[in-house]
Amino acid sequence: MAENTFLAGDANWWRQAVVYQIYPRSFKDSNADGLGDIPGITSKMAYLSHLGIDAVWLSPFYPSALADGGYDVDDYRNIDPRLGTLADFDDMVDAAHSADIRVFVDIVPNHSSNRHAWFKDALAAAPGSPERARYIFRDGKGVMGEIPPSDWPSHFGPTAWTRITEADGELGQWYLHLFAPEQPDFNWDNPEIIEDFKTTLRFWADRGVDGFRVDVAHALKKDMSEPLPSVTSFAMENIPLDGSNPLFDRDDVHEIYRGWRKVFNEYDPPRVAVAEAWVPAERRPQYARADELGQAFNFDLLGAPWSAKKFHHTIEFNIHLASKSKSSSTWVLSNHDVVRHATRYGLPKKVDFDKWLMSDGKVPELDLQQGLSRARAATMLIMALPGSTYIYQGEELGLFEVANIHDADLQDPMWLRGGKTRKGRDGCRVPLPWTKAGSSFGFGEGPSHLPQPAWFPAYAVEFEESQSGSTLKMYREMIHLRTQLQGAETLEWVHSRSKVVHFMRPGGWHSITNFGKKAVKLPAGNVMISSGPLLDGKLPANTTAWVTEHGVE
Ligand code: NOJ
């Protein structure tokens, strides 16, 4: 293992960090096989450092058949050979740490892949065996066991149960998978699973990993007592506040994370974690408690429309929620699971994104200019908030969703398993354009695993480097300013017109966003940066400005 793997320092570094999410297969390909890889990430460390981010979070890079973009893990303590080796990983962590960038990895504890050694053992073993007890197997109902054990759906549709063929060649038991059939759910009532995940956490923490993003953190514990209750929808509205949903957000899931915290605290500085927990907001602070994961994603702005009132309310509420667990909030506008925010803001309110994608992005028409100005303004707004900010690769280029990927090229299980009625998430996972021309626009020397659109050159890193006012230049300047300005985790609201969100951070740092149509006056002081040009000294529609009462060094 490489030596220089630890980044010492402040144990609270994460509280107001800017974390850049890398979707490794689509970031940078170093060996012309069409898939981004770990050496590709290392080769772009100077780019990441220039952005001024504090940390990167890598979506899964483990061996995987990619039935769900790598969230189907064959081996939790290894690297997909197509993406590199453990030595490449160590080099990447070293390069990141030398650039003062911390590294988060994605831990996927709810399910493995069906190619995991334990799942293969489970299939080969008999019903009731210890091998089967690592997953969730049940006999079917009906005379021949031909009916699934319950009516539970899967996230990718249609059912959460798949029947297996037993070693003797006969149809046999069913196993549970809340996601694709290639993602069997672990049985977290089994102490062996609990221990094994601690080993995995230590494996990566020992290699210098600073933090963990915890996939579907709210689903690990299930109430499997017979008779299995009916659950016909996974909609969030069906998750009550008392922890009584059979599959999600059960109270006993927190026991697991208290155990993980002890592992994190074996390290100096303690390793950190952030929960992906789709639970009612009021329940989120539990995951973020200091003796558990420490932080939880707040996705509320992802779903919020372009409205001053909604933004104001969401921000206020989440700062309050974070304070309940003494954590800091997290702000997210894009990730690998949602339509990119430049596109969301360029479409009319209440549009159904699934339907829009099914029209290849044609109906309704996307307003590119509105989308990008609002996206830049919204990002500048969240960058001024107390707490940590997660940005997703490509948003610093102002990328839009790629909406017209041909059906034959789509990879998302949402498309493949959902009766081809929802295109899913591939449109935000298209490999990045680094150069204006050349094979896969500098992503690699060969083709890219998802096709790139003809409009990419105008969003390529190389192009934006040469353009004043480009989104890339704005992100760099904004993140550097934020680092200089960031102080105590407090915010003071400034009374403003109804279509404006205006707050002040310590040190006289004002952030003002105009959600309305008419340009508005800015407060007295120096305009440090704005997300678009000002209009006769005023703040136009769809724009954010940071104003300081004092100068910045
Ligand atoms: C959440 C991940 O972000 C998503 O991409 C994945 O499909 C599911 N969890 C299942 O692991």
Side-chain angles (χ1 to χ4, degrees):
M1 201 187 300
E3 272 170 29
N4 171 30
T5 49
F6 296 97
L7 202 55
D10 179 15
N12 283 326
W13 65 267
W14 52 275
R15 292 190 71 94
Q16 303 212 68
V18 177
V19 185
Y20 181 96
Q21 181 191 355
I22 293 181
Y23 192 73
R25 286 173 183 83
S26 300
F27 186 69
K28 169 74 188 161
D29 174 17
S30 73
N31 61 356
D33 67 354
L35 283 182
D37 45 40
I38 305 284
I41 299 172
T42 312
S43 74
K44 291 295 179 191
M45 211 49 84
Y47 172 81
L48 295 167
S49 170
H50 195 175
L51 256 184
I53 54 165
D54 300 295
V56 286
W57 145 33
L58 272 56
S59 281
F61 45 71
Y62 313 106
S64 165
L66 305 184
D68 182 18
Y71 285 89
D72 44 321
V73 179
D74 299 350
D75 176 358
Y76 289 87
R77 303 197 274 272
N78 216 333
I79 309 282
D80 186 330
R82 291 168 295 180
L83 270 63
T85 61
L86 282 168
D88 292 333
F89 182 86
D90 294 339
D91 288 347
M92 186 274 299
V93 172
D94 270 357
H97 285 176
S98 306
D100 243 346
I101 294 174
R102 321 249 174 182
V103 179
F104 279 80
V105 298
D106 216 310
I107 289 291
V108 189
N110 180 65
H111 43 264
S112 69
S113 86
N114 58 345
R115 307 196 318 169
H116 191 285
W118 277 0
F119 193 70
K120 289 187 193 157
D121 290 350
L123 292 184
S129 59
E131 288 83 358
R132 290 250 165 125
R134 292 177 182 136
Y135 292 90
I136 302 177
F137 281 86
R138 287 289 179 281
D139 291 334
K141 296 197 284 199
V143 187
M144 308 292 289
E146 73 282 10
I147 302 171
S150 72
D151 60 357
W152 301 346
S154 114
H155 276 284
F156 300 138
T159 167
W161 295 99
T162 290
R163 194 169 192 190
I164 66 160
T165 303
E166 300 288 352
D168 61 6
E170 296 291 318
L171 281 175
Q173 287 197 300
W174 299 72
Y175 67 89
L176 180 74
H177 51 87
L178 295 184
F179 292 86
E182 294 88 350
Q183 294 167 293
D185 281 39
F186 279 120
N187 171 15
W188 274 90
D189 292 336
N190 184 337
E192 213 183 337
I193 303 297
I194 298 178
E195 277 320 302
D196 194 63
F197 268 89
K198 288 185 183 163
T199 306
T200 294
L201 295 175
R202 289 192 184 100
F203 178 86
W204 294 108
D206 288 344
R207 295 197 105 84
V209 158
D210 306 276
F212 300 92
R213 177 263 187 193
V214 184
D215 191 62
V216 232
H218 58 306
L220 276 43
K221 282 289 203 169
K222 286 121 186 156
D223 177 7
M224 298 301 299
S225 50
E226 301 283 349
L228 297 179
S230 168
V231 178
T232 53
S233 152
F234 288 171
M236 179 92 93
E237 303 85 83
N238 297 346
I239 305 184
L241 294 178
D242 62 0
S244 63
N245 184 288
L247 300 176
F248 301 109
D249 192 33
R250 300 190 60 76
D251 290 335
D252 48 357
V253 80
H254 297 287
E255 193 59 45
I256 300 173
Y257 301 130
R258 282 192 280 274
W260 288 20
R261 172 52 56 187
K262 292 197 181 115
V263 175
F264 301 151
N265 288 351
E266 288 165 10
Y267 296 86
D268 180 21
R271 298 315 187 230
V272 304
V274 56
E276 185 219 24
W278 290 93
V279 298
E282 295 81 350
R283 302 269 297 178
R284 209 182 288 142
Q286 299 190 38
Y287 295 81
R289 288 184 286 216
D291 65 343
E292 294 195 26
L293 294 175
Q295 217 177 20
F297 276 125
N298 143 32
F299 293 124
D300 296 352
L301 285 179
L302 271 178
W306 181 252
S307 142
K309 208 167 143 195
K310 279 275 170 5
F311 266 65
H312 185 127
H313 173 77
T314 305
I315 293 165
E316 199 162 41
F317 182 49
N318 275 286
I319 290 176
H320 160 72
L321 282 182
S323 73
K324 278 179 132 183
S325 55
K326 303 200 171 54
S327 181
S328 59
S329 194
T330 58
W331 308 104
V332 188
L333 293 170
S334 275
N335 65 29
H336 65 297
D337 286 333
V338 297
V339 170
R340 285 189 177 276
H341 65 288
T343 294
R344 296 201 311 269
Y345 294 138
L347 289 169
K349 268 185 193 167
K350 297 207 175 136
V351 86
D352 179 329
F353 297 123
D354 287 330
K355 281 198 186 141
W356 180 77
L357 284 171
M358 288 303 282
S359 80
D360 281 348
K362 289 191 186 119
V363 188
E365 201 182 330
L366 175 66
D367 183 337
L368 293 170
Q369 211 255 329
Q370 174 186 295
L372 188 56
S373 5
R374 287 184 178 177
R376 289 168 55 130
T379 304
M380 194 171 281
L381 186 164
I382 64 167
M383 283 275 173
L385 291 170
S388 49
T389 301
Y390 280 75
I391 55 179
Y392 175 52
Q393 68 176 40
E395 66 164 87
E396 78 279 17
L397 305 173
L399 286 190
F400 292 91
E401 188 81 0
V402 181
N404 57 352
I405 303 176
H406 290 142
D407 293 0
D409 291 321
L410 291 171
Q411 304 172 359
D412 193 341
M414 237 177 222
W415 166 253
L416 300 170
R417 291 197 50 76
K420 304 202 171 171
T421 53
R422 280 193 300 164
K423 285 208 171 173
R425 304 159 295 178
D426 290 322
C428 65
R429 299 174 177 183
V430 173
L432 292 189
W434 293 94
T435 54
K436 289 184 277 185
S439 55
S440 55
F441 301 115
F443 166 66
E445 303 274 300
S448 64
H449 70 100
L450 277 168
Q452 296 162 306
W455 48 265
F456 257 22
Y459 295 84
V461 173
E462 182 189 25
F463 180 68
E464 297 207 16
E465 299 267 14
S466 69
Q467 299 294 304
S468 66
S470 70
T471 305
L472 178 59
K473 289 201 167 164
M474 184 200 91
Y475 264 68
R476 283 182 182 153
E477 203 186 328
M478 168 176 74
I479 296 172
H480 282 99
L481 263 174
R482 167 192 160 106
T483 309
Q484 284 174 274
L485 293 165
Q486 199 67 270
E489 289 173 37
T490 55
L491 166 155
E492 205 180 297
W493 291 102
V494 180
H495 183 72
S496 54
R497 295 160 65 140
S498 65
K499 301 228 161 112
V500 169
V501 169
H502 184 175
F503 56 86
M504 195 176 74
R505 297 290 309 282
W509 169 22
H510 291 253
S511 174
I512 309 110
T513 305
N514 185 358
F515 287 80
K517 290 202 172 84
K518 283 195 201 137
V520 294
K521 263 178 78 179
L522 285 165
N526 298 326
V527 177
M528 296 179 284
I529 187 171
S530 61
S531 63
L534 299 183
L535 199 69
D536 301 328
K538 287 180 159 183
L539 186 69
N542 303 329
T543 311
T544 295
W546 290 355
V547 176
T548 178
E549 293 168 2
H550 323 283
V552 188
E553 298 278 298

